Each structure stands twice: as C-alpha cells, then as structure tokens.
C-alpha cells in the first residue's frame, strides 16, 4: 500500500496519521524517538506492508510481470492499489476524497509543527511538501500519473531503472488487478483494525 492507502487505513483503524506515513522513513525501533501514538502508527504501517507483501493473492499476481520486473512488482502494485482506492473511494469512506485529503493535510501539518527539524527525517518533510503541493494523492486516480510516478521513482538509482517498465504490466492486466484489489483491500482493513487495537 502507498500513501493514500496508509492514510485511509490509519483513519479506519483510528491510528495516528503521521505515524502511519513515517513508516517508510524511520528505521529501527522508533520507541525512543517518538510519542506512543506515533510509534503505534509506525508499527501499524509496517504490519500493513508485511501483511500485503506476503498475502497469497499478491504473491499470485507476480507472474503477471515479466521475469526481469518481478522483483519490482510489489512497488508497482503498491502504487496501483492507491489508484484503485482513489477510484473506488466511495465504497470505503463516507467522506468525499477531496475532503478527506484536506482534513489529512491539515492534521499532518499540525502534527509536524509539534516536532523540531531534527525529529522528523528530512526526506519525509520533502515528500510531505511535494505530496500536498502537487496533489499526488488525488492525481493517483489517473493511470497516467501512476506511470509517471513509477518513472520518477525509477530515476532514484540505476538499480531502480526497470521500475518504469512496470506500468505496462499494470495497464495490460488492469481488470485482473482491479478485481484483486477489491478482494484484498477489505481484508487489509479488517486485519489492520485488529492490529491497531492490539498496539494500543
């Protein structure tokens, strides 16, 4: 799952929004760096990533990608799940997507103001700025923007280069992957809510 899904899962599970976004940016044990609510959000994010990446349904989708791209398929699928969620939003939330995102941005800005510049990784602060300034999450409704995001991510290093080619597999198997999302995501929500309750 990517940024939009992690925000929705946090909201659905009554978990900390900022903590759930920091999961990709904070390494190791966060308990000595952050308050308990943010630590729980980071832990929930990590649970969601493990649960999704190892789910039998997700594993079964990897052969839809050419051999040379299969190691990148989890990243591409994470982006695709956000695309599906953005387009199926009304099935999972009563609030319009634009209103939900405005609320999240406001809350995240408020939470970030609680911390000095050293406490929050600068890499996250940069992503946070561009994510809202350029409306990444709303743009995920369009597959062209998913392809663009994958291309942008592929430029981070030579090793990541093939990631840009994953967009073709997403388009070629669009309906199969969309149906997989509709099967997978309710399970993710249910398991996340249970895990969040355990973490409190």
């Amino acid at each position: 799952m990517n940024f939009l899904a992690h925000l929705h899962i946090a909201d659905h599970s009554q978990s900390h929004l900022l903590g759930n976004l920091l999961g990709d940016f904070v390494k190791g044990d966060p308990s000595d760096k952050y308050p308990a609510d943010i630590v729980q959000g980071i832990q929930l994010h990590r649970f969601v990533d493990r649960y999704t990446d190892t789910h039998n349904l997700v594993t079964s989708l990897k052969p839809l990608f050419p051999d040379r791209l299969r190691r990148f398929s989890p990243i591409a699928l994470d982006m695709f799940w956000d695309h599906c969620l953005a387009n199926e939003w009304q099935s999972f939330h009563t609030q319009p997507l634009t209103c939900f995102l405005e609320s999240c941005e406001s809350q995240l800005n408020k939470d970030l103001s609680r911390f000095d510049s050293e406490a929050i990784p600068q890499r996250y602060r940069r992503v946070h700025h561009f994510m809202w300034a350029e409306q990444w999450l709303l743009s995920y409704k369009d597959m062209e923007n998913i392809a663009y995001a994958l291309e942008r991510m592929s430029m981070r290093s030579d090793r990541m280069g093939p990631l840009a080619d994953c967009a073709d597999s997403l388009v070629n198997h669009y309906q199969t992957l969309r149906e997989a999302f509709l099967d997978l995501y309710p399970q993710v929500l249910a398991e996340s809510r249970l895990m969040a309750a355990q973490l409190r």
Side-chain angles (χ1 to χ4, degrees):
M1 301 293 160
N2 204 55
F3 297 129
L4 178 58
H6 279 295
L7 286 173
H8 178 244
I9 290 165
D11 177 73
H12 177 80
S13 304
Q14 298 181 339
S15 183
H16 200 282
L17 295 180
L18 179 57
N20 276 272
L21 288 191
L22 284 175
D24 281 333
F25 299 88
V26 174
K27 306 303 179 186
D29 182 2
S31 59
D32 60 344
K33 300 176 184 175
Y34 301 103
D37 54 352
I38 289 187
V39 171
Q40 290 165 5
I42 292 170
Q43 291 171 335
L44 180 60
H45 175 115
R46 292 174 178 175
F47 166 79
V48 170
D49 283 356
R50 287 193 306 272
Y51 179 83
T52 305
D53 290 346
T54 59
H55 196 286
N56 290 338
L57 180 56
V58 175
T59 302
S60 73
L61 298 173
K62 290 184 178 180
L64 298 179
F65 294 79
D67 289 347
R68 69 184 185 88
L69 299 180
R70 285 184 188 173
R71 62 191 295 251
F72 299 98
S73 63
I75 302 172
L77 287 172
D78 280 348
M79 294 297 302
F80 186 78
W81 303 146
D82 266 18
H83 166 75
C84 291
L85 178 57
N87 282 285
E88 302 287 343
W89 183 259
Q90 68 280 358
S91 299
F92 296 102
H93 207 290
T94 57
Q95 193 178 28
L97 179 57
T98 51
C99 296
F100 174 78
L101 292 176
E102 287 171 3
S103 175
C104 286
E105 181 182 9
S106 176
Q107 184 60 53
L108 287 164
N109 285 333
K110 188 182 300 182
D111 289 338
L112 280 174
S113 70
R114 295 164 48 194
F115 296 95
D116 60 37
S117 59
E118 299 300 318
I120 303 295
Q122 286 301 311
R123 191 164 69 93
Y124 172 76
R125 288 188 181 274
R126 286 194 298 273
V127 166
H128 174 86
H129 169 74
F130 288 111
M131 177 165 58
W132 300 109
E134 299 178 359
Q135 298 188 8
W136 290 358
L137 306 188
L138 198 58
S139 79
Y140 288 165
K141 293 183 77 170
D142 189 334
M143 269 303 296
E144 289 185 4
N145 290 324
I146 297 296
Y148 174 72
L150 291 173
E151 182 177 356
R152 188 175 55 204
M153 293 164 69
S154 76
M155 296 176 182
R156 292 177 183 172
S157 69
D158 290 341
R159 184 184 67 83
M160 296 288 285
L163 182 60
D165 298 330
C166 289
D168 288 340
S169 296
L170 298 178
V171 171
N172 292 339
H173 301 285
Y174 187 94
Q175 192 56 35
T176 297
L177 295 173
R178 177 183 173 274
E179 291 172 3
F181 168 80
L182 294 174
D183 186 3
L184 172 68
Y185 196 60
Q187 298 178 55
V188 173
L189 291 177
E191 293 298 323
S192 298
R193 181 170 277 180
L194 289 174
M195 177 55 66
Q198 293 176 31
L199 290 171
R200 291 190 192 105

